[in-house]
Each structure stands twice: as C-alpha cells, then as structure tokens.
Amino acid sequence: MDINRELIDGCIRGQRASQDALYKKFSSLLFGICLRYARNRMEAQDVLQEVFVKVYNNIGSYNNEGSFEGWLRRIAVNTSITNYRKNLKHAYQADVDELIRTNDEPMHFEDLEFTAEEMMLCIENLPSGYKTVFNLYVVEGFMHKEISDMLGIDVNTSKSQLSRAKTYLQRELKNIATVKIKEHV
Amino acid sequence: MSEDRFYNQVRSTMANYQPEVPASAYSGMRKKLWWSNFTKMSATRFNVWYLAILVTGAAVALNLSSETPVNEAIVVEQSTQSAETAQPVLEAANAAPAVLLSNESQCSTKNAPSERNSNGHAKQISNETASTGQTVAEETSVGSSDAQQVSNATEVNTEKESQQPTSGGAKRGLKVKTYTDGQQKK
C-alpha cells in the first residue's frame, strides 16, 4: 500500500519514473480487462492507452477510500464501456443465428479445468454485445439494472443477452473440452 | 451444472488473468499522454493555448506591419500623383511664354495659325491646370494641406516660369496666364 502511495504521489507530481512504475505494475491486469471487452487485441491496446492517460490525468482525484487496484479496474471497465458504446452501431452483428444452434446436451463443467487463456479465447469469440453483458454481470459483478443503465439497454435485453452468452460460451468450452479429452486419451 | 457454479468458475479463472502487454502499447500511451497534456489548459507548461496565442499574435503583428507601409505608400502616391499632374501643365505653361518672349520679334501673319494653335493649347492647358489643382485638392482627404500646397505650387511656378524663356518646341504664342482656385478670370 505504501508502494502504491509513493507511486500515486509521484504520478500526481508528474514524475515520469513513477508513471512508468505504475504502468509496469498494473498494465497486465488492466490489459486483461480491456481484452475481455474489446473486439481484438489492437482495440484492447487502444483502450489500455486511454485508460492510463485517464489514470495519470485524474490520479489526483483518487482519495484513499477503497483499493487503488479497484479504482484502476473501474476506470478500465468504464473506458471499455465507453469504447463499446462508441462502436455500438457495429456491435450486434449476425449473432442470433450462431446461438440458435446451441441445443446440445449440457456438459458437466465442474469436472473440467479451463485455463484463463482458454476461457479468454471463448470470451473473445463472443459477439460484442453478449460479451459486454457477460463480463459486467459475471466478472465485474454488476446487476442487470446497473448494466441496463450503463449500456442504455432494457433490463430484459440484458438478461436475455447474458443467457445467450452463457449458452454460447458453454458450447465453445465444450468444444475445447472435447479436444482436450481426445488429446488426453 | 448450475448457472451460479458456472459463473463462479469463470469468475475465479478470469479474476487474475494478466496477459502480456505488447511493447508498442507503452509508446502509444506516451504519445497519447503527451497530446493530452498538450491540449489541456495549463499555465505551467507550453500547450496548444500558448501556441494559439503566439500564432494569433504573430498574425496580428504581421497584419499591422503590412498595413502601415500601404497607408504611407498611398499618401506618398497621392502626393506624387498631384505633383505629376501639375508637372506637364507647368511645362506647357512654360512653353507658351517662351515663345512669346523669344519669338516676339519674328512673329508674322504667316505663323498666325500656329500661334492660334499654341495659344489655344496653352489656354486649354491652363484651364486644365486650374481644374486639376482643384481636383487634387478635393481628392486628397487626409493630406488636404498637401493638395493645397501642390495647388499653390502650381500657381506660383506657373506665374514664375511663364516669364522665363525656354528653347522648347513651341514656336510662338501669346502670353498665358493660368487660373487656380479662388482666382477669377478677369
């Protein structure tokens, strides 16, 4: 916490060394958040850069209430949502047909272990709208009402998109699990 | 598998997901940060607002410096035009008395038409002198005193030089008197 405080004070004074240290320490974590919301890695890089610019410019407004990491996470999520809303016109594209075909028998995932990379691969392949709702609800822990306010959509839309995202994700994970089982055997 | 268990599994897996950040992201972030600072109003560091003030100041200074010589040039040009307008008149006025003085003894009926022509030409020019002097005085709004000086100079020069002989091309003529502002032809 003291290290964070020193970094924060350095960043408030505009010291480049402190800014670089802060970047080194938190860039991976924030890049992971950006990747979950972005359509590809390039877009995630752009969002990450915007996140750090916002952090450096507004770090003086951080009052020690709550964890600094949580504050950074919140900025990353908000910036990602802003980016998502900016690209909203292109967000929902041909995603319904893909999800109608998910009538397979449900798989017992509790017996399977998935790495973060595998999980991330499946999340990345989600349609943009589903991915955003899924991340906000499952990973960030927001409620449907909050999500509907943040994204400017109806609560029921949020619920239906979460359901579809879950189905889509389970299907993708099942495919990965099938491949893993075959490799194991 | 219940919905919540699946969500918990995803949450726990993704909570500490920290992928490697590409090196190019840092340089891009630095550029964006520099641009952000450059476009932000700040009294302590050079930014786009200072640049805008500098450019505006330079433009105004350039504009002012380019306007001043133009005004001066206009005044000078007007004075020059007045003087130039008066110059041919003076020359013409010189020619006529010169003929009168130098060729008075050689005057004959044979040269009468040319005398009349010269006389007529001189009269016409003298009228032009009067009207031109008046016009210059009217047109010069800023330097009305200059115009008056030009007009007076025309009158004085005409009166002086009308008595001086010249060897100009005019053959002979009658005595010429020019009229300027305020003078009535007697």
Side-chain angles (χ1 to χ4, degrees):
Chain A
M1 190 64 183
D2 290 333
I3 296 172
N4 280 352
R5 190 67 248 173
E6 285 176 15
L7 289 180
I8 292 166
D9 290 340
C11 289
I12 289 172
R13 287 192 295 271
Q15 291 174 350
R16 186 166 178 149
S18 300
Q19 290 176 346
D20 289 349
L22 193 78
Y23 181 87
K24 272 186 184 175
K25 189 171 183 183
F26 293 105
S27 59
S28 294
L29 176 74
L30 299 180
F31 188 55
I33 295 171
C34 297
L35 261 181
R36 277 195 280 115
Y37 290 90
R39 289 174 294 185
N40 50 54
R41 293 182 75 86
M42 287 302 295
E43 191 177 298
Q45 269 191 54
D46 286 341
V47 175
L48 177 72
Q49 291 163 359
E50 287 178 31
V51 168
F52 271 100
V53 170
K54 282 184 183 176
V55 167
Y56 294 146
N57 287 336
N58 299 292
I59 200 164
S61 66
Y62 169 69
N63 45 11
N64 290 310
E65 297 171 6
S67 72
F68 182 63
E69 190 179 308
W71 186 74
L72 292 175
R73 278 175 176 271
R74 182 67 197 228
I75 289 177
V77 171
N78 286 343
T79 309
S80 298
I81 290 170
T82 304
N83 182 65
Y84 162 74
R85 289 177 69 109
K86 202 161 59 181
N87 301 322
L88 198 58
K89 288 177 187 173
H90 319 287
Y92 300 96
Q93 289 177 350
D95 45 8
V96 176
D97 291 341
E98 293 177 50
L99 296 171
I100 286 175
R101 294 181 285 104
T102 57
N103 294 324
D104 302 336
E105 188 179 330
M107 199 168 182
H108 295 284
F109 286 90
E110 57 264 35
D111 300 331
L112 298 172
E113 288 288 328
F114 295 101
T115 63
E117 283 72 23
E118 289 169 341
M119 199 79 80
M120 191 66 220
L121 190 67
C122 296
I123 292 174
E124 273 182 354
N125 289 331
L126 277 171
S128 187
Y130 300 169
K131 182 166 41 181
T132 307
V133 172
F134 183 84
N135 278 317
L136 288 173
Y137 185 87
V138 176
V139 185
E140 318 299 344
F142 289 105
M143 305 304 292
H144 282 296
K145 179 72 175 68
E146 294 171 310
I147 294 170
S148 65
D149 290 340
M150 289 164 82
L151 300 182
I153 57 175
D154 191 66
V155 173
N156 291 326
T157 307
S158 174
K159 287 178 181 175
S160 67
Q161 287 195 347
L162 176 68
S163 175
R164 291 181 179 191
K166 185 196 75 176
T167 310
Y168 185 93
L169 202 58
Q170 284 181 339
R171 191 190 71 183
E172 292 293 311
L173 288 172
K174 182 183 171 185
N175 291 338
I176 291 174
T178 307
V179 172
K180 282 172 81 172
I181 289 169
K182 281 182 182 176
E183 285 176 356
H184 188 70
V185 170
Chain B
M1 179 185 173
S2 69
E3 201 172 66
D4 288 340
R5 288 187 69 173
F6 174 67
Y7 291 158
N8 284 333
Q9 188 180 2
V10 173
R11 190 177 299 125
S12 60
T13 308
M14 298 306 298
N16 294 316
Y17 176 57
Q18 297 188 8
E20 190 178 345
V21 184
S24 59
Y26 176 76
S27 56
M29 185 272 294
R30 275 282 158 208
K31 284 178 188 171
K32 284 186 178 178
L33 184 64
W34 178 86
W35 182 250
S36 169
N37 289 332
F38 183 66
T39 53
K40 198 166 61 176
M41 176 77 86
S42 172
T44 55
R45 64 164 72 108
F46 182 77
N47 55 45
V48 72
W49 302 103
Y50 284 124
L51 186 67
I53 290 169
L54 278 177
V55 170
T56 308
V60 169
L62 191 68
N63 195 22
L64 288 175
S65 63
S66 64
E67 273 182 1
T68 308
V70 167
N71 289 337
E72 288 173 357
I74 289 170
V75 173
V76 169
E77 190 178 351
Q78 285 176 346
S79 303
T80 311
Q81 282 177 351
S82 304
E84 284 175 354
T85 308
Q87 191 63 31
V89 177
L90 296 177
E91 289 173 1
N94 287 341
V99 171
L100 179 66
L101 293 174
S102 62
N103 298 331
E104 197 171 18
S105 58
Q106 298 174 5
C107 183
S108 63
T109 52
K110 193 176 180 179
N111 294 329
S114 63
E115 286 172 10
R116 278 196 297 273
N117 287 340
S118 176
N119 187 18
H121 182 62
K123 277 187 177 179
Q124 184 182 355
I125 290 172
S126 66
N127 290 334
E128 285 176 0
T129 306
S131 62
T132 308
Q134 192 173 4
T135 309
V136 169
E138 287 173 356
E139 285 180 353
T140 312
S141 58
V142 177
S144 59
S145 60
D146 292 342
Q148 188 63 38
Q149 286 174 356
V150 170
S151 173
N152 293 337
T154 306
E155 185 182 351
V156 170
N157 288 335
T158 307
E159 286 178 358
K160 278 184 181 177
E161 293 172 7
S162 63
Q163 296 174 3
Q164 293 176 358
T166 60
S167 57
K171 293 177 180 176
R172 61 192 65 199
L174 299 175
K175 187 175 182 180
V176 175
K177 185 168 183 179
T178 57
Y179 296 91
T180 57
D181 291 344
Q183 288 187 332
Q184 294 294 324
K185 189 176 180 181
K186 292 180 181 177

